[in-house]
Amino acid sequence: MVTNRQHNLFILSFKEGRLLKKLFVNLFKIIVALAIFFILLEFVSKLLTKDNDAFKRRDTLNSLPKNSVDIMFIGNSHSYTTFNPVEISNITGKTAYNSAMPSQLLDLVWFNFEIELKKQSPKVVVLETFAFQGPSQRDVFNDSNIDSMPFGITKLSAIFSIYKSSKDRFELMSGIYRQHGNWSDSELVNENFNNIVYGKKPSYIESKGFYDIDSKMTSDTVEKLKNLKPSEYVFKARVSDYNKYYFNKIYRECKKRGINLICVMAPMNKNYVEKTDYESVHRGFKALFDSVGVDFIDYNMLYDEVGIKDEDFANESNSSHHVNKYGSKKISEHFSNYLASVIKD
Amino acid sequence: MLFNSYTYLLFLPVVFFIYYISPKRLRWAFLLLSSYYFYMSWNVKYATIMFFSTVVTYILPLFSAKSKSQRVRKLMLVSNIIINLFILFMFKYFNFTSQLISDIAGLFMFSVIPLRFNHLLPIGISFYTFQALSYSIDVYMGKAEPVKHFGKYALFVSFFPTLLAGPIQRITRLFTQLEEAKRPDAENIKYGLSLILWGLFKKIVIADRLSVLVNTVYNKPTDYNGMEILIATIFFTFQIYCDFSGYSDMAIGSAQVLGFDLLENFNHPYLAKSVTEFWKRWHISLTSWFRDYLYIPLGGNRRHHLINILIVFGVSGLWHGASLTFIIWGLLNGIYQISEKLMAPHSKKAFEMLKINTETITYRVFKTFITTVLVGFSWIFFRANNLNDLGVVLDKLFRFDYFNAVSFGRVYALGLNEGNVIFAVISIAFLLAAELLEERRSVYHKLQSEPFLTKTFAYIILVLVIMVFGIYGDKQAAQFIYFKF
């Protein structure tokens, strides 16, 4: 009797078997239908999406071979206009890549870092701290940044953690919601179609994510910056509870993976720095990074050491915030020498 | 909350899921809560007006049924109708009537300052008032039993799929289903979702696209020539159909997903071969309401039926909006039908004499075309913003200088670019083809008999077409035309 009862647990009646089979067949059909839908949706979304720098950077990142990066830079335009991975690779002998994305703040930096770590195992990660702002707002770059993320848990977490309104969440989950109006732009659709079918060379593959700014500041801008009143500029990057939360995530992930995390602040125009209470901003960053034993290289405190003289700002910057290729060369060289001293094989 | 908004995309599945897992005895309560939430998401305070109307139309028929005196019963019914129509009048017709009195007084050199009742028109008031009144009349006439359960009656009045713009349901059809509160089966869900998809296609792909051009022209007709007005009128003919029938499909589909079978509202009206037939196919729930509760009590076909038709369509015009343009639109449709009835014996004789075969496809297509032209012409009165604009539109249309005035490039400067105009025309052609197919055999059932991959592709393509070619995104979801009635 006992044996029979045990058997009944595993052997289904004819009717139950048929029901179970029907259930599996229906489940299978639903999965197939959803798969077809999402494949076609992805195709249509790609056809209609207007390219911009966020997509170009993501395409290049996606094209990198697995585990091909030793030194990874993360942050935003402050990072990719300042730290030149080609220069740094030449000096350190390690492969470097700048995976920063335009305009992104620390919350998005974290989610993109999470995505990159699925493919890369860097030994050193350099976080540029001008991204210590947030939460991120909706704008074309942040929207494109999220649109270009592969669909998955990380993308959904980014949308739901950063954006609180259901309208924003809905719109960001479906890129086609914002891009669908492009269907009548036949030039765009043709170009995208050719890119999908024939493929296209990733834009930043040679520069390794570095953005080479060739232009210098105009004399008007130089003059304007000299006469800037302190009330005209608020330095937005600073340590806050919101930023600490995402910094800790980055820090913990690096620690877990044995990655050497280094924080840097790219140099800005001296006139800016002098007219804000930069000392207190610097102290805030330093205290945070010291508390967890992370090195902090603040180039706004190292003008003399790097060799940036007062008269150099006009020629070595493109704007109040971004250095140009001449400024970048100085910083990249200095930073490479620093890296060479800390990287151990 | 609109059916074409992303909030409804979340609302319906949540309601479905909770309704599905709720015990049967609580389902009505959950649906009632959901319906009031749905209504209050538009305006909280106006839910009290609906609640008041519900209380009145619940209590009076109940007392009326208990009374043995015919006089008391009649008094109850009349009070019920007066109270409900008074509320409707205050919100919808007070300012119009007041202005009309002032204008008429002005003609006789009297100065009367029009009084104003400055409140928003509660969405759906014309629909739920008519639905509730039909119940009261049915109880009085002995066609329906009075409902004892207040909550379930409140659900009948406020059932969210039909609340904002119908289809106006009858107690005998909907209430039994609400009482049964059965769980939807797979067929209900599939059919309901198909209807919602088709309704969305009609609304956001066709109607909202056509509305861009129609609004451009009709909001300032003085700036446009006869050809542009003609194109806008043709577009409006399809816009209003796709807008309202799209809404109805979504309403019926939403109810179907929850397991409720609602009264149909449209039956391919632009395939009608006469205006009389058109009105049997257009806004069926309202036409049948007027037939049962106005036309038949007036005497129906038994006495002065031509006058009755004119009265019904005049009232129907007024129901649609407090404006002379709507009244003229209603009367014009009444006149069309009266003319058809008067001419029918003569045309029959004429056809016999001329040996014209009325059974050929060519003749039927011709009749359908003429009907659509007549109906399309009447939509001018419906769409014109006021009598002045109506005058301008008619004046420009009847100059018949279309081909002198037209430069085709100008059509693309009416709010829709070339791609969108071409797509609008293609989508209208697709709609008509689908309606022709549907007239012969249900497209849904035909699709169900196809292999899995074929029907899956068909649905996916429809979803993608809606997602890509729909007019949505930058602004809020576009309102449905019939919400303002």
Side-chain angles (χ1 to χ4, degrees):
Chain A
M1 284 300 284
V2 174
T3 319
N4 278 344
R5 221 181 283 157
Q6 279 173 342
H7 262 273
N8 285 341
L9 286 175
F10 300 103
I11 298 170
L12 299 168
S13 69
F14 180 68
K15 198 178 162 193
E16 285 168 333
R18 274 184 62 181
L19 276 174
L20 201 63
K21 189 182 165 195
K22 201 176 165 190
L23 184 74
F24 278 121
V25 169
N26 283 339
L27 263 177
F28 176 73
K29 281 180 176 176
I30 290 171
I31 292 167
V32 170
L34 286 175
I36 296 172
F37 173 71
F38 281 111
I39 289 167
L40 287 175
L41 182 64
E42 182 66 15
F43 175 75
V44 172
S45 300
K46 281 193 169 166
L47 272 185
L48 300 176
T49 301
K50 269 194 177 142
D51 210 3
N52 64 29
D53 203 39
F55 286 102
K56 286 180 181 139
R57 288 182 175 277
R58 178 82 62 196
D59 285 346
T60 318
L61 276 164
N62 291 342
S63 72
L64 296 178
K66 210 172 174 197
N67 297 328
S68 61
V69 177
D70 295 326
I71 304 164
M72 178 185 278
F73 288 84
I74 56 176
N76 53 35
S77 59
H78 284 247
S79 177
Y80 65 62
T81 56
T82 307
F83 299 98
N84 184 346
V86 178
E87 195 93 23
I88 290 165
S89 293
N90 289 341
I91 296 173
T92 60
K94 302 285 176 194
T95 53
Y97 190 87
N98 201 317
S99 67
M101 297 285 269
S103 298
Q104 71 178 351
L105 304 182
L106 200 61
D107 41 20
L108 278 169
V109 172
W110 156 248
F111 290 107
N112 277 314
F113 182 49
E114 227 189 340
I115 291 170
E116 289 317 305
L117 288 182
K118 286 175 188 157
K119 208 173 163 192
Q120 302 296 341
S121 312
K123 292 175 186 75
V124 177
V125 165
V126 184
L127 167 64
E128 206 284 329
T129 52
F130 195 73
F132 271 62
Q133 301 175 46
S136 292
Q137 303 298 313
R138 291 284 303 279
D139 65 29
V140 67
F141 283 117
N142 287 340
D143 283 6
S144 304
N145 192 334
I146 288 176
D147 283 346
S148 67
M149 286 179 180
F151 192 81
I153 300 290
T154 310
K155 181 173 182 163
L156 291 176
S157 306
I159 294 168
F160 280 83
S161 313
I162 301 171
Y163 300 99
K164 299 301 171 201
S165 94
S166 55
K167 183 176 179 288
D168 286 340
R169 288 171 173 178
F170 177 81
E171 287 184 10
L172 287 165
M173 277 199 290
S174 149
I176 202 164
Y177 189 82
R178 280 163 286 117
Q179 308 279 0
H180 74 281
N182 293 336
W183 68 267
S184 59
D185 184 346
S186 53
E187 230 170 84
L188 172 80
V189 175
N190 274 338
E191 192 186 324
N192 285 343
F193 182 79
N194 287 332
N195 288 338
I196 296 167
V197 175
Y198 305 111
K200 78 174 171 178
K201 192 182 167 190
S203 311
Y204 288 100
I205 199 78
E206 274 151 21
S207 70
K208 296 186 180 294
F210 176 66
Y211 186 74
D212 194 351
I213 300 178
D214 208 10
S215 57
K216 295 174 183 174
M217 268 203 282
T218 61
S219 52
D220 279 357
T221 318
V222 173
E223 213 45 43
K224 203 177 153 192
L225 284 172
K226 271 184 191 162
N227 300 321
L228 197 72
K229 289 177 196 135
S231 58
E232 287 174 325
Y233 180 66
V234 182
F235 193 81
K236 288 181 188 161
R238 59 190 61 245
V239 175
S240 66
D241 286 346
Y242 186 80
N243 294 325
K244 264 191 205 168
Y245 174 77
Y246 284 102
F247 169 73
N248 284 330
K249 278 177 170 286
I250 295 171
Y251 166 72
R252 278 198 295 267
E253 195 60 35
C254 288
K255 200 174 172 192
K256 194 172 93 187
R257 291 169 181 258
I259 297 170
N260 187 0
L261 176 67
I262 298 164
C263 290
V264 291
M265 177 68 88
M268 276 162 284
N269 192 286
K270 196 176 177 182
N271 289 299
Y272 253 1
V273 172
E274 280 176 350
K275 280 168 186 171
T276 58
D277 185 17
Y278 191 77
E279 285 280 341
S280 73
V281 175
H282 173 81
R283 278 198 302 274
F285 280 123
K286 185 98 175 72
L288 172 67
F289 302 140
D290 281 350
S291 70
V292 287
V294 167
D295 280 3
F296 178 43
I297 319 290
D298 186 345
Y299 281 102
N300 290 314
M301 311 299 267
L302 297 173
Y303 296 143
D304 293 339
E305 203 179 315
V306 179
I308 308 172
K309 296 182 193 109
D310 283 4
E311 59 271 24
D312 292 339
F313 280 102
N315 293 325
E316 294 175 3
S317 316
N318 152 268
S319 67
S320 54
H321 281 224
H322 300 98
V323 293
N324 61 17
K325 65 176 180 181
Y326 307 105
S328 157
K329 192 166 172 55
K330 276 186 183 173
I331 306 293
S332 296
E333 267 177 26
H334 181 273
F335 192 67
S336 301
N337 293 328
Y338 160 77
L339 274 178
S341 69
V342 294
I343 297 174
K344 293 166 193 119
D345 283 320
Chain B
M1 196 187 300
L2 302 175
F3 288 164
N4 54 331
S5 65
Y6 66 90
T7 39
Y8 190 73
L9 267 181
L10 296 173
F11 175 79
L12 186 63
V14 171
V15 171
F16 166 79
F17 180 72
I18 301 176
Y19 177 79
Y20 196 86
I21 60 166
S22 298
K24 194 175 175 179
R25 64 194 163 81
L26 292 180
R27 283 186 201 147
W28 68 269
F30 171 68
L31 276 187
L32 180 64
L33 277 175
S34 308
S35 298
Y36 267 81
Y37 172 79
F38 177 82
Y39 195 70
M40 287 194 294
S41 68
W42 168 70
N43 190 318
V44 176
K45 66 180 181 186
Y46 282 3
T48 54
I49 297 168
M50 182 169 71
F51 184 74
F52 175 73
S53 183
T54 307
V55 171
V56 171
T57 52
Y58 167 73
I59 291 174
L60 292 179
L62 209 60
F63 281 131
S64 162
K66 281 182 183 164
S67 169
K68 284 179 182 136
S69 155
Q70 178 63 16
R71 247 185 89 206
V72 172
R73 293 179 66 223
K74 202 168 201 168
L75 187 71
M76 296 276 184
L77 177 69
V78 171
S79 323
N80 195 340
I81 293 173
I82 288 173
I83 292 169
N84 278 286
L85 291 187
F86 177 73
I87 299 170
L88 188 61
F89 173 82
M90 287 309 290
F91 281 100
K92 201 166 167 179
Y93 303 104
F94 182 82
N95 291 345
F96 166 70
T97 313
S98 169
Q99 185 65 49
L100 198 66
I101 291 169
S102 167
D103 291 348
I104 293 169
L107 290 175
F108 296 98
M109 306 298 171
F110 291 110
S111 170
V112 178
I113 298 165
L115 296 170
R116 309 294 299 170
F117 182 73
N118 290 324
H119 289 279
L120 281 175
L121 175 70
I123 285 187
I125 189 168
S126 308
F127 291 91
Y128 70 70
T129 301
F130 268 42
Q131 186 157 311
L133 283 181
S134 80
Y135 159 72
S136 306
I137 300 168
D138 282 353
V139 171
Y140 173 78
M141 304 284 281
K143 287 182 190 168
E145 287 293 310
V147 176
K148 294 197 175 68
H149 194 296
F150 177 72
K152 288 180 182 173
Y153 175 70
L155 174 60
F156 164 73
V157 176
S158 64
F159 185 48
F160 74 85
T162 64
L163 181 56
L164 303 183
I168 302 166
Q169 298 299 304
R170 303 296 176 85
I171 192 85
T172 41
R173 184 182 180 104
L174 182 59
F175 192 74
T176 334
Q177 297 182 61
L178 292 173
E179 273 214 309
E180 274 179 23
K182 68 169 179 121
R183 265 197 190 134
D185 57 25
E187 185 52 34
N188 289 136
I189 299 166
K190 274 196 284 184
Y191 183 52
L193 290 177
S194 308
L195 275 177
I196 293 174
L197 264 187
W198 185 237
L200 262 178
F201 171 78
K202 285 201 266 190
K203 168 64 180 163
I204 68 173
V205 177
I206 307 183
D208 289 349
R209 174 164 280 104
L210 300 179
S211 77
V212 178
L213 189 146
V214 172
N215 292 343
T216 306
V217 175
Y218 267 88
N219 288 343
K220 217 174 178 195
T222 42
D223 289 0
Y224 301 97
N225 62 40
M227 179 55 111
E228 286 155 347
I229 288 173
L230 180 69
I231 291 170
T233 305
I234 294 169
F235 273 24
F236 183 67
T237 303
F238 290 98
Q239 183 205 336
I240 189 156
Y241 171 57
C242 291
D243 192 284
F244 192 25
S245 73
Y247 167 83
S248 297
D249 287 343
M250 283 186 261
I252 295 167
S254 300
Q256 190 69 232
V257 164
L258 296 169
F260 298 95
D261 192 22
L262 298 186
L263 196 68
E264 283 293 333
N265 223 14
F266 290 88
N267 180 22
H268 322 130
Y270 289 139
L271 301 181
K273 288 182 280 299
S274 67
V275 177
T276 310
E277 190 190 343
F278 173 84
W279 279 102
K280 285 177 184 158
R281 290 166 173 260
W282 179 278
H283 202 173
I284 298 165
S285 64
L286 181 71
T287 315
S288 59
W289 196 98
F290 277 120
R291 182 197 63 211
D292 294 347
Y293 303 113
L294 187 59
Y295 182 72
I296 293 174
L298 281 172
N301 292 334
R302 286 170 282 120
R303 51 198 161 107
H304 37 76
H305 73 286
L306 298 182
I307 303 281
N308 294 343
I309 290 173
L310 208 57
I311 292 172
V312 165
F313 276 86
V315 174
S316 169
L318 193 63
W319 178 92
H320 279 83
S323 158
L324 286 174
T325 52
F326 285 114
I327 300 174
I328 300 170
W329 166 78
L331 292 173
L332 181 61
N333 275 284
I335 291 167
Y336 282 157
Q337 292 180 68
I338 292 169
S339 313
E340 280 176 357
K341 287 193 194 316
L342 292 176
M343 282 165 63
H346 305 293
S347 359
K348 201 179 170 191
K349 268 187 202 164
F351 290 143
E352 278 167 9
M353 272 172 59
L354 297 167
K355 292 185 180 163
I356 294 173
N357 183 358
T358 55
E359 295 304 312
T360 60
I361 290 180
T362 320
Y363 179 77
R364 281 189 283 172
V365 170
F366 174 74
K367 286 274 279 181
T368 303
F369 176 74
I370 294 295
T371 304
T372 309
V373 169
L374 289 173
V375 171
F377 176 70
S378 77
W379 289 129
I380 294 170
F381 299 82
F382 192 95
R383 179 59 186 84
N385 290 338
N386 49 53
L387 282 176
N388 284 341
D389 281 6
L390 179 64
V392 172
V393 168
L394 292 176
D395 174 46
K396 291 197 173 187
L397 266 180
F398 286 102
R399 281 185 201 169
F400 295 107
D401 58 350
Y402 306 139
F403 297 100
N404 297 333
V406 73
S407 136
F408 218 76
R410 281 190 62 161
V411 176
Y412 304 140
L414 302 177
L416 290 179
N417 62 19
E418 189 177 354
N420 273 291
V421 171
I422 293 168
F423 187 81
V425 174
I426 292 171
S427 52
I428 290 172
F430 175 73
L431 172 83
L432 289 176
E435 300 253 305
L436 266 172
L437 272 176
E438 181 80 20
E439 184 83 345
R440 289 164 182 226
R441 186 187 169 182
S442 156
V443 175
Y444 169 76
H445 288 112
K446 169 91 180 73
L447 206 56
Q448 290 311 305
S449 62
E450 294 293 326
F452 167 72
L453 276 179
T454 313
K455 62 184 175 197
T456 301
F457 264 109
Y459 283 119
I460 288 174
I461 297 296
L462 185 59
V463 172
L464 288 176
V465 165
I466 293 168
M467 290 175 93
V468 174
F469 298 105
I471 301 286
Y472 65 93
D474 299 336
K475 298 166 209 134
Q476 284 211 316
Q479 278 231 352
F480 291 88
I481 295 175
Y482 264 68
F483 278 13
K484 63 184 175 202
F485 307 141

